[in-house]
């Protein structure tokens, strides 16, 4: 799933290419794409796109009367629509502009989870953004410490919980735990001050490095292309210590870690027993 750095860099590219373009019409291409009944998306017709912003993993297409909040979920993409085909593959929704260009929201696969919310006024206090925690790159050390203690969970899951902290997913959770030299299964309620210091520094570094990389791209990179130390690198050597990167597999995702850097050399049990560690 695209995480904060990919979505942020994409929002910046879309702003550069489409800001100022006047919307001709918005059209959902499936029954599930538009998640709201009111206000009507037609309210934006005739208005220029102000910019494309981001909150958590959501894109915000701002027009003066309404904002379109787009969640890409796992397989969604929002791209310039060169062909403007009547039935585009995976097509979910299309914004057509008066200058003839268009943006197309597609979703690979059959999950139908990507979607568009149309909201009036400040979108931050409304669905689907109202339950998001603070942006992961805006927390100071003290606030991070307080949030960790307030909601004791396994660290990897805590980092990915959008209600606690917005913007991080599996890849950054893996990379941040490794950078901070913390077990992905450490309890957030038991981290000492030194561990919270390392976690805070690791979050800032990993997010900044990812964003810098994504800004060099002309489109969202795929997960396997992104630089990193442990994510999707099981069996490879840890770039810090040379130990073998390990994996704990879950049904829908994988936790990667380096035993020497993160778990005192302990290799964690794989999937059959690891459900007890979740
Ligand atoms: Zn290591």
């Amino acid at each position: 799933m695209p995480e904060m750095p990919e979505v942020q860099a994409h929002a910046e590219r879309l702003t550069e290419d489409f800001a100022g373009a006047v919307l001709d019409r918005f059209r959902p291409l499936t029954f599930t794409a538009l998640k709201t009944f009111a206000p009507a998306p037609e309210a934006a017709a005739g208005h220029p796109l102000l910019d494309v912003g981001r909150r958590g993993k959501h894109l915000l297409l701002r027009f003066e009367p309404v904002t379109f909040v787009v969640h890409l979920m796992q397989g969604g993409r929002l791209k310039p629509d060169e062909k403007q085909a009547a039935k585009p593959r995976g097509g979910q929704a299309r914004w057509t502009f008066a200058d003839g260009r268009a943006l197309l929201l597609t979703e690979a696969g059959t999950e139908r989870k990507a979607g568009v919310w149309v909201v009036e006024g400040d979108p931050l206090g409304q669905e689907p953004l109202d339950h998001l925690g603070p942006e992961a790159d805006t927390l100071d050390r003290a606030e991070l410490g307080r949030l960790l203690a307030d909601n004791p969970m396994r660290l990897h899951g805590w980092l990915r919980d959008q209600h606690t902290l917005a913007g991080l997913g599996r890849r950054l959770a893996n990379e941040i735990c490794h950078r901070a030299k913390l077990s992905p299964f450490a309890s957030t309620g038991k981290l000492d001050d030194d561990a919270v210091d390392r976690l805070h520094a690791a979050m800032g570094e990993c997010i900044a490095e990812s964003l810098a990389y994504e800004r060099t791209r002309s489109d969202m990179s795929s997960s396997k292309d992104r630089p990193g130390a442990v994510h999707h690198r099981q069996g490879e050597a840890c770039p810090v210590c040379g130990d073998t990167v390990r994996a704990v597999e879950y049904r829908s995702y994988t936790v990667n870690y380096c035993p020497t850097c993160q778990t005192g050399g302990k290799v964690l049990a794989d999937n059959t027993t690891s459900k007890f560690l979740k």
Side-chain angles (χ1 to χ4, degrees):
M1 181 182 297
E3 300 176 39
M4 165 200 280
E6 296 94 273
V7 178
Q8 176 65 33
H10 196 56
E12 292 169 6
R13 284 189 294 266
L14 290 172
T15 297
E16 193 167 324
D17 293 345
F18 281 87
V22 173
L23 187 71
D24 185 35
R25 67 183 301 202
F26 167 83
R27 195 158 69 91
L29 301 173
T30 67
F31 292 113
T32 53
L34 182 60
K35 309 291 188 187
T36 45
F37 294 105
E42 287 76 27
H47 291 267
L49 176 68
L50 300 174
D51 61 16
V52 179
R54 179 193 61 80
R55 172 78 171 103
K57 301 174 185 173
H58 300 74
L59 289 163
L60 279 63
L61 282 68
R62 291 199 310 124
F63 294 85
E64 195 267 317
V66 292
T67 298
F68 294 84
V69 179
V70 179
H71 197 185
L72 302 174
M73 296 300 296
Q74 188 67 32
R77 294 294 180 267
L78 181 66
K79 289 186 176 187
D81 187 8
E82 313 291 350
K83 293 182 188 164
Q84 300 187 33
K87 289 184 179 172
R89 186 181 171 84
Q92 299 292 313
R94 177 183 279 137
W95 291 257
T96 308
F97 295 92
D99 62 11
R101 293 183 299 161
L103 283 169
L104 179 67
L105 174 66
T106 58
E107 185 175 26
T110 54
E111 283 204 314
R112 296 281 174 90
K113 286 181 175 171
V116 180
W117 288 254
V118 181
V119 297
E120 208 171 353
D122 183 2
L124 299 187
Q126 306 179 52
E127 276 225 59
L129 306 178
D130 54 344
H131 297 302
L132 294 179
E135 292 290 318
D137 62 344
T138 61
L139 283 182
D140 64 26
R141 162 67 177 76
E143 196 180 357
L144 176 64
R146 185 177 56 75
L147 290 175
L148 287 162
D150 280 356
N151 185 14
M153 286 172 70
R154 302 285 180 180
L155 179 57
H156 197 276
W158 188 93
L159 288 167
R160 291 183 292 109
D161 183 342
Q162 301 301 298
H163 303 298
T164 308
L165 195 66
L168 305 180
R170 300 159 199 170
R171 185 182 70 85
L172 278 169
N174 280 331
E175 296 296 337
I176 288 168
C177 290
H178 178 261
R179 183 74 61 98
K181 296 192 182 310
L182 292 169
S183 166
F185 303 105
S187 170
T188 59
K190 293 177 184 165
L191 298 177
D192 61 23
D193 283 348
D194 187 46
V196 178
D197 286 346
R198 294 202 308 276
L199 182 63
H200 186 251
M203 283 171 57
E205 290 170 18
C206 290
I207 292 168
E209 287 169 18
S210 292
L211 184 55
Y213 171 76
E214 294 300 327
R215 281 175 171 155
T216 68
R217 310 276 304 191
S218 58
D219 193 12
M220 276 194 195
S221 60
S222 68
S223 173
K224 62 177 175 7
D225 295 334
R226 291 179 204 127
V230 290
H231 183 67
H232 282 180
R233 292 176 197 272
Q234 54 262 40
E236 296 181 25
C238 167
V240 174
C241 73
D243 193 1
T244 303
V245 173
R246 303 281 181 162
V248 179
E249 306 271 354
Y250 292 100
R251 198 155 30 132
S252 60
Y253 67 102
T254 303
V255 174
N256 290 118
Y257 68 101
C258 166
T260 297
C261 288
Q262 296 176 258
T263 58
K266 192 177 163 213
V267 174
L268 304 169
D270 209 347
N271 55 15
T272 42
T273 50
S274 62
K275 63 176 182 274
F276 301 111
L277 294 169
K278 201 169 178 179

